Amino acid sequence: MSLSGGELEVVVSGSPAPAEPLGEVKAIEGRSLWQIAWRRLKKDKVAMAGGVICLLLALIAVFAGQLSALYGYDWKTQSPNLLDQTTTMPVGPFGGASGNHWLGLTPVLGQDVLAGLLYGARTSLIISSLATLLSLVLGVSLGLIAGYARGWRDTVIARTMDMLLAFPTLLFSIALLSVFSIVPSFLGLTGVPLRFGVIIFVLGFFGFPYIGRIVRGQVLSLREKEFVDAARSLGASNFRIMTREIMPNLVGPILVYTTLTIPNYILGEAGLSFLGVGVTYPTASWGQMLSDAGSYFEIDPTYLVAPGLTIFIAVMAFNLFGDGLRDALDPKSTR
């Protein structure tokens, strides 16, 4: 530092140190609502276990024929030589269970129980899935219209759903299925397809008011939101608002409803078959197997335990997965 002519001169020795380059700032990655829900669901081990069992049941239903062929016995194959000719009951303990017939044989006809459970899974899941689909189509469509349109449309649809909820569904189902059991054909359907169609209609039609009321309540709230007002101010039609703005917000409740309704319809089909008005022989059904086993419970309890335990596991798995999915999709969840 030097002073000359009244001016202060500052000299700094050495060259200034170069500034170190800043590292690249990593962008913060946001998560969508579905990613957050999936992360929560993965933490719920019980729900994931239920989902795995549901997936296994679906695979068994799809590949029941291949699994039965790999096992070596078909449901329609009868083995009367393995039955006691006097009592028509399987020879041996636990309903004739052996290395060839893992869960034993049925009385009278000598059919393999495990093969019946494999084909029964296909019957139960086909009927419950299609009945759930029918409930979704009717319930979501009518609930969406009622909640968005309001007015007289809402009144008519809401009162119709209330009436169906108060309807004696079981008695009507028994009466309707009894009538169609003696009708040779209807709408081009005969035999097993006709019986399947009637059961699907009965379960799906009388079950749609439940999802319809859920959707209606959600739509009544969503139609007042700002994004709906914005879409309406931009000239969007009512159909576009319902399908493009409101429907995506209903996916969560619909998924939860689906996972919780399928087990109810599995029980519904099993109950109707147990009462003798549902699926009948030779089509395999868990409920029909339970109905047959009831006559031999005191002699051969194994035949009753196998389909009963299968229904319990299937219903429990769907309910556990549905409960976990509902918690994962709940925005207030702390998981």
Side-chain angles (χ1 to χ4, degrees):
M1 179 176 63
S2 62
L3 183 61
S4 62
E7 293 181 357
L8 181 64
E9 180 181 1
V10 180
V11 179
V12 180
S13 62
S15 59
E20 294 182 2
L22 297 176
E24 295 182 0
V25 179
K26 188 176 181 180
I28 299 176
E29 182 181 356
R31 293 190 181 95
S32 66
L33 294 177
W34 292 107
Q35 289 175 327
I36 296 174
W38 172 241
R39 186 180 181 183
R40 292 173 179 171
L41 185 62
K42 287 192 299 183
K43 293 181 180 179
D44 192 341
K45 304 302 181 183
V46 176
M48 291 300 294
V52 170
I53 295 176
C54 294
L55 180 60
L56 289 176
L57 288 173
L59 293 175
I60 290 173
V62 173
F63 299 104
Q66 291 81 352
L67 292 174
S68 181
L70 184 64
Y71 174 57
Y73 294 95
D74 188 84
W75 166 243
K76 296 181 181 180
T77 302
Q78 301 179 7
S79 303
N81 57 309
L82 299 179
L83 303 178
D84 189 316
Q85 301 302 317
T86 304
T87 61
T88 67
M89 298 298 295
V91 177
F94 303 107
S98 63
N100 294 327
H101 303 279
W102 297 353
L103 296 180
L105 301 168
T106 64
V108 182
L109 297 178
Q111 297 170 295
D112 188 87
V113 174
L114 179 56
L117 295 179
L118 295 177
Y119 281 97
R122 173 181 291 180
T123 300
S124 295
L125 289 184
I126 286 177
I127 291 178
S128 60
S129 299
L130 292 179
T132 302
L133 179 61
L134 178 60
S135 292
L136 287 177
V137 172
L138 294 176
V140 173
S141 301
L142 294 177
L144 189 60
I145 294 173
Y148 186 80
R150 305 285 292 272
W152 65 270
R153 298 179 184 87
D154 182 23
T155 302
V156 171
I157 295 175
R159 297 294 79 78
T160 301
M161 290 191 293
D162 291 341
M163 181 185 66
L164 290 175
L165 288 173
F167 201 80
T169 305
L170 180 60
L171 296 179
F172 182 79
S173 302
I174 295 174
L176 188 63
L177 289 167
S178 299
V179 170
F180 276 95
S181 63
I182 59 176
V183 174
S185 64
F186 183 76
L187 297 177
L189 299 176
T190 59
V192 175
L194 175 60
R195 185 169 288 272
F196 272 42
V198 175
I199 297 175
I200 291 170
F201 171 78
V202 167
L203 294 176
F205 180 76
F206 287 101
F208 89 85
Y210 295 97
I211 182 60
R213 296 185 66 175
I214 294 174
V215 171
R216 175 181 175 271
Q218 292 288 330
V219 174
L220 285 174
S221 175
L222 290 171
R223 72 186 301 273
E224 306 299 334
K225 299 294 184 181
E226 290 80 3
F227 66 90
V228 174
D229 293 335
R232 191 180 293 114
S233 65
L234 292 174
S237 63
N238 290 332
F239 180 79
R240 180 180 176 83
I241 292 175
M242 287 190 293
T243 56
R244 301 294 296 274
E245 304 295 336
I246 295 180
M247 270 298 295
N249 294 278
L250 300 175
V251 174
I254 290 173
L255 285 177
V256 173
Y257 169 82
T258 300
T259 55
L260 295 178
T261 300
I262 289 179
N264 290 335
Y265 288 164
I266 290 176
L267 287 176
E269 179 274 324
L272 292 174
S273 299
F274 180 81
L275 295 174
V277 295
V279 179
T280 57
Y281 182 83
T283 305
S285 167
W286 294 340
Q288 188 256 337
M289 293 175 70
L290 274 178
S291 179
D292 293 342
S295 304
Y296 307 98
F297 173 70
E298 295 182 355
I299 305 173
D300 182 16
T302 307
Y303 185 30
L304 183 66
V305 171
L309 185 61
T310 303
I311 294 175
F312 172 79
I313 292 174
V315 173
M316 179 66 71
F318 276 101
N319 282 327
L320 290 177
F321 181 67
D323 288 340
L325 185 61
R326 179 181 57 194
D327 294 338
L329 293 172
D330 186 0
K332 299 180 182 179
S333 176
T334 58
R335 293 185 180 181

